[in-house]
Amino acid sequence: MAVTSRLRHVVSSQQFSRALLEDLIARADEIKREPHHFIGRLAGQVMTALFYEPSTRTRLSFEAAMLRLGGATMGTDNAREFSSAAKGETLEDTIRIVSGYADVIVLRHNEEGAARRAAAVSGVPIINAGDGPGQHPTQALLDLYTIRDELGRIDGVHVAMVGDLANGRTVRSLTYLLSKFKDIKIWFVAPAQVAMRDDLKAHLDDHHVPWVETADLDAVLPEVDVVYMTRIQKERFTDLEAYNAVKGVYRIDKDAMSRMRKYAILMHPLPRVDEIAPEVDSDDRAAYFRQARNGLHIRMALLDRLLS
Ligand code: CP
């Protein structure tokens, strides 16, 4: 089925229809299977990676995706220091300038809503690569792709979102995407200090997606198909005492894995700190490195759909 949904900027997960998600997943499958079909697809096009916050996976997988499609890349790490933001230039002016040089801008910023502000003034597509505690929609695309890849389905999956849910933009974006599928159930597992925000729970209610809120991870582990661990994000806390009160609250080790279902998977957007013990890495259900690898294929699919 041809998907005609228009996609210009990628700012939030709510923009994606189920049909569009299925199209991107099918395209990523094709890229994985027959990468030679996509060589040179974006020849002559330029991607700028404008990153105001640190990144390993998002920045480098976007760059690799663009290069593998035949395009070129340029950009700046630590744009707060190395771009003219350091001289007081506004984000809007920077985007106006860069959109005259590039065909697409991949933007990571520390402020929630930055990608939407950038899209409002940009002459070329903006891709939100994480805006503070707001959203990270392309991480959610690779997460969704990983669930389908590992479990063979998305409909009917039961997912535990674990950790820093108040600041977790990947959890927010993935939850919005999952709400477009059938028979989903979500457990939000977090200490009260970093519980999921009410707007997302209201969204699930509006879309008739059942959810449970608890702090008891041990009780949830045997119930779910996917355990989605996240890091407590020290950089989002203004008060070190508040961070210390919740850091290390959940840890998946061999003992915790023994409580998970035999076919369930353990995911993490990475980077991890101490919430998944390295002893777990060799368990077949530890999907997080395969998940990160999937970022390349789904970002190739997204760039191809936006620019070809
Ligand atoms: N998952 C993720 O966004 O990782 P990076 O911060 O390394 O890009």
Side-chain angles (χ1 to χ4, degrees):
M1 185 184 67
V3 177
T4 53
S5 317
R6 195 167 157 270
L7 190 63
R8 179 154 169 78
H9 304 292
V10 176
V11 170
S12 70
S13 286
Q14 295 92 311
Q15 289 174 252
F16 291 88
S17 64
R18 180 170 175 152
L20 181 50
L21 293 168
E22 286 171 350
D23 177 74
L24 287 169
I25 287 171
R27 204 174 290 223
D29 279 342
E30 196 188 339
I31 288 168
K32 233 183 197 182
R33 212 174 39 241
E34 297 175 305
H36 52 283
H37 284 176
F38 292 81
I39 291 170
R41 291 273 284 219
L42 300 185
Q45 303 212 48
V46 175
M47 182 191 89
T48 293
L50 201 51
F51 276 57
Y52 292 75
E53 277 193 336
S55 169
T56 298
R57 279 145 291 272
T58 311
R59 164 100 198 242
L60 294 177
S61 65
F62 261 117
E63 290 202 16
M66 190 66 182
L67 292 169
R68 283 172 185 272
L69 290 166
T73 70
M74 60 182 186
T76 175
D77 277 331
N78 191 3
R80 277 193 273 186
E81 194 179 335
F82 297 142
S83 77
S84 287
K87 303 176 207 162
E89 186 166 64
T90 63
L91 174 66
E92 282 80 357
D93 278 358
T94 300
I95 294 294
R96 284 185 185 104
I97 298 303
V98 176
S99 71
Y101 306 152
D103 299 292
V104 60
I105 298 171
V106 180
L107 174 70
R108 172 167 289 186
H109 202 277
N110 47 301
E111 290 172 18
E112 187 165 355
R116 197 170 298 284
R117 283 169 47 209
V121 298
S122 180
V124 300
I126 295 288
I127 300 178
N128 182 1
D131 61 334
Q135 284 220 25
H136 192 349
T138 68
Q139 176 70 41
L141 292 176
L142 78 89
D143 294 341
L144 197 72
Y145 184 60
T146 300
I147 291 171
R148 199 300 316 267
D149 215 34
E150 297 279 330
L151 300 179
R153 67 193 165 94
I154 300 170
D155 287 325
V157 296
H158 290 186
V159 182
M161 305 286 192
V162 186
D164 187 350
L165 306 186
N167 298 305
R169 59 194 179 197
T170 68
V171 166
R172 290 179 67 74
S173 286
L174 178 57
T175 302
Y176 280 121
L177 288 192
L178 287 170
S179 72
K180 295 170 191 294
F181 290 80
K182 288 189 209 143
D183 302 323
I184 300 293
K185 183 170 177 183
I186 296 179
W187 281 255
F188 292 124
V189 184
Q193 300 95 312
V194 287
M196 177 50 75
R197 294 190 240 162
D198 288 341
D199 62 337
L200 202 124
K201 295 182 214 162
H203 172 88
L204 294 181
D205 288 341
D206 290 345
H207 290 78
H208 311 291
V209 179
W211 56 272
V212 174
E213 192 166 49
T214 176
D216 186 355
L217 177 60
D218 282 351
V220 174
L221 288 176
E223 304 291 324
V224 296
D225 308 306
V226 177
V227 177
Y228 190 96
M229 287 299 289
T230 64
R231 175 177 66 91
I232 304 287
Q233 296 186 40
K234 186 176 184 182
E235 67 275 23
R236 309 271 179 234
F237 285 78
T238 47
D239 175 1
L240 194 60
E241 255 183 56
Y243 167 72
N244 285 332
V246 290
K247 77 167 188 191
V249 63
Y250 300 120
R251 181 171 166 87
I252 299 284
D253 55 13
K254 276 192 173 166
D255 185 45
M257 290 299 280
S258 73
R259 268 175 252 128
M260 282 170 55
R261 293 172 172 176
K262 292 266 180 287
Y263 62 82
I265 54 169
L266 176 63
M267 296 175 64
H268 193 308
L270 304 176
R272 67 175 154 182
V273 183
D274 52 9
E275 59 279 359
I276 297 178
E279 66 184 16
V280 167
D281 295 353
S282 57
D283 190 304
D284 286 344
R285 296 169 296 171
Y288 32 91
F289 295 124
R290 298 189 294 274
Q291 178 186 353
R293 171 90 181 138
N294 285 334
L296 173 66
H297 301 112
I298 204 79
R299 288 178 172 127
M300 283 177 78
L302 181 67
L303 290 170
D304 186 51
R305 179 158 176 118
L306 277 172
L307 301 177
S308 67

CSV table of all heavy atoms in Angstrom, one decimal, residues 149-168:
chain,number,residue,atom,x,y,z
A,149,ASP,N,11.2,-6.3,15.4
A,149,ASP,CA,12.3,-7.2,14.9
A,149,ASP,C,12.5,-8.3,15.9
A,149,ASP,O,12.7,-9.5,15.5
A,149,ASP,CB,13.6,-6.3,14.8
A,149,ASP,CG,14.5,-6.8,13.7
A,149,ASP,OD1,13.9,-7.2,12.7
A,149,ASP,OD2,15.7,-6.7,13.9
A,150,GLU,N,12.4,-8.0,17.2
A,150,GLU,CA,12.8,-9.1,18.2
A,150,GLU,C,11.6,-10.0,18.5
A,150,GLU,O,11.8,-11.2,18.7
A,150,GLU,CB,13.2,-8.4,19.5
A,150,GLU,CG,14.5,-7.5,19.3
A,150,GLU,CD,15.8,-8.3,19.4
A,150,GLU,OE1,15.7,-9.4,20.1
A,150,GLU,OE2,16.8,-7.9,18.8
A,151,LEU,N,10.4,-9.4,18.5
A,151,LEU,CA,9.2,-10.2,19.0
A,151,LEU,C,8.3,-10.6,17.8
A,151,LEU,O,7.4,-11.3,17.9
A,151,LEU,CB,8.4,-9.4,20.0
A,151,LEU,CG,9.1,-9.0,21.3
A,151,LEU,CD1,8.2,-8.2,22.2
A,151,LEU,CD2,9.6,-10.2,22.0
A,152,GLY,N,8.5,-9.9,16.6
A,152,GLY,CA,7.7,-10.3,15.4
A,152,GLY,C,6.4,-9.6,15.4
A,152,GLY,O,5.6,-9.8,14.5
A,153,ARG,N,6.1,-8.7,16.3
A,153,ARG,CA,4.8,-8.0,16.4
A,153,ARG,C,5.0,-6.8,17.2
A,153,ARG,O,5.9,-6.7,18.0
A,153,ARG,CB,3.7,-8.9,16.9
A,153,ARG,CG,4.0,-9.2,18.4
A,153,ARG,CD,3.1,-10.3,18.9
A,153,ARG,NE,3.7,-10.8,20.2
A,153,ARG,CZ,3.3,-10.3,21.4
A,153,ARG,NH1,2.3,-9.5,21.5
A,153,ARG,NH2,3.9,-10.8,22.5
A,154,ILE,N,4.0,-5.9,17.1
A,154,ILE,CA,3.9,-4.7,18.0
A,154,ILE,C,2.5,-4.8,18.7
A,154,ILE,O,2.4,-4.6,19.9
A,154,ILE,CB,4.1,-3.4,17.2
A,154,ILE,CG1,5.5,-3.4,16.6
A,154,ILE,CG2,4.0,-2.2,18.2
A,154,ILE,CD1,5.7,-2.2,15.6
A,155,ASP,N,1.5,-5.1,17.9
A,155,ASP,CA,0.2,-5.2,18.5
A,155,ASP,C,0.3,-6.2,19.7
A,155,ASP,O,0.9,-7.3,19.5
A,155,ASP,CB,-0.8,-5.7,17.5
A,155,ASP,CG,-1.3,-4.7,16.5
A,155,ASP,OD1,-1.3,-3.5,16.9
A,155,ASP,OD2,-1.5,-5.0,15.3
A,156,GLY,N,-0.4,-5.9,20.8
A,156,GLY,CA,-0.5,-6.9,21.9
A,156,GLY,C,0.7,-6.9,22.8
A,156,GLY,O,0.7,-7.7,23.8
A,157,VAL,N,1.7,-6.0,22.6
A,157,VAL,CA,2.9,-6.1,23.5
A,157,VAL,C,2.6,-5.4,24.8
A,157,VAL,O,1.9,-4.4,24.9
A,157,VAL,CB,4.2,-5.6,22.9
A,157,VAL,CG1,4.6,-6.5,21.7
A,157,VAL,CG2,4.2,-4.2,22.6
A,158,HIS,N,3.1,-6.0,25.9
A,158,HIS,CA,3.1,-5.5,27.2
A,158,HIS,C,4.5,-5.0,27.6
A,158,HIS,O,5.4,-5.7,27.5
A,158,HIS,CB,2.6,-6.5,28.2
A,158,HIS,CG,1.2,-6.9,28.1
A,158,HIS,ND1,0.5,-7.7,28.9
A,158,HIS,CD2,0.3,-6.5,27.1
A,158,HIS,CE1,-0.8,-7.9,28.5
A,158,HIS,NE2,-0.9,-7.1,27.4
A,159,VAL,N,4.5,-3.7,27.9
A,159,VAL,CA,5.8,-3.0,28.1
A,159,VAL,C,6.0,-2.4,29.5
A,159,VAL,O,5.1,-1.6,29.9
A,159,VAL,CB,6.0,-1.9,27.0
A,159,VAL,CG1,7.4,-1.2,27.1
A,159,VAL,CG2,5.8,-2.5,25.6
A,160,ALA,N,7.1,-2.6,30.1
A,160,ALA,CA,7.4,-1.9,31.4
A,160,ALA,C,8.4,-0.8,31.0
A,160,ALA,O,9.5,-1.1,30.5
A,160,ALA,CB,8.0,-2.8,32.4
A,161,MET,N,8.1,0.5,31.3
A,161,MET,CA,9.0,1.6,31.2
A,161,MET,C,9.6,1.9,32.5
A,161,MET,O,8.8,2.2,33.5
A,161,MET,CB,8.2,2.8,30.7
A,161,MET,CG,7.4,2.6,29.4
A,161,MET,SD,8.5,2.5,28.0
A,161,MET,CE,7.3,2.6,26.6
A,162,VAL,N,10.9,1.8,32.7
A,162,VAL,CA,11.5,1.8,34.0
A,162,VAL,C,12.5,2.9,34.2
A,162,VAL,O,13.4,3.1,33.3
A,162,VAL,CB,12.2,0.4,34.2
A,162,VAL,CG1,12.7,0.3,35.7
A,162,VAL,CG2,11.3,-0.7,33.9
A,163,GLY,N,12.5,3.6,35.3
A,163,GLY,CA,13.6,4.6,35.6
A,163,GLY,C,13.1,6.0,35.7
A,163,GLY,O,12.1,6.3,36.3
A,164,ASP,N,13.8,6.9,35.0
A,164,ASP,CA,13.6,8.3,35.1
A,164,ASP,C,12.5,8.7,34.1
A,164,ASP,O,12.8,9.2,33.0
A,164,ASP,CB,14.9,9.1,34.9
A,164,ASP,CG,14.8,10.6,35.1
A,164,ASP,OD1,13.6,11.1,35.3
A,164,ASP,OD2,15.8,11.3,35.1
A,165,LEU,N,11.3,8.5,34.5
A,165,LEU,CA,10.2,8.7,33.5
A,165,LEU,C,9.8,10.2,33.4
A,165,LEU,O,9.3,10.6,32.4
A,165,LEU,CB,9.0,7.9,33.9
A,165,LEU,CG,9.3,6.4,34.1
A,165,LEU,CD1,8.0,5.6,34.3
A,165,LEU,CD2,10.0,5.8,32.9
A,166,ALA,N,10.1,11.0,34.4
A,166,ALA,CA,9.7,12.4,34.3
A,166,ALA,C,10.6,13.1,33.3
A,166,ALA,O,10.2,14.0,32.6
A,166,ALA,CB,9.9,13.1,35.7
A,167,ASN,N,11.9,12.7,33.2
A,167,ASN,CA,12.8,13.4,32.3
A,167,ASN,C,13.1,12.6,31.1
A,167,ASN,O,13.9,13.0,30.2
A,167,ASN,CB,14.2,13.6,33.1
A,167,ASN,CG,14.0,14.5,34.2
A,167,ASN,OD1,13.4,15.6,34.1
A,167,ASN,ND2,14.3,14.1,35.4
A,168,GLY,N,12.5,11.4,31.0
A,168,GLY,CA,12.9,10.5,29.9
A,168,GLY,C,12.2,10.7,28.6
A,168,GLY,O,11.1,10.3,28.3
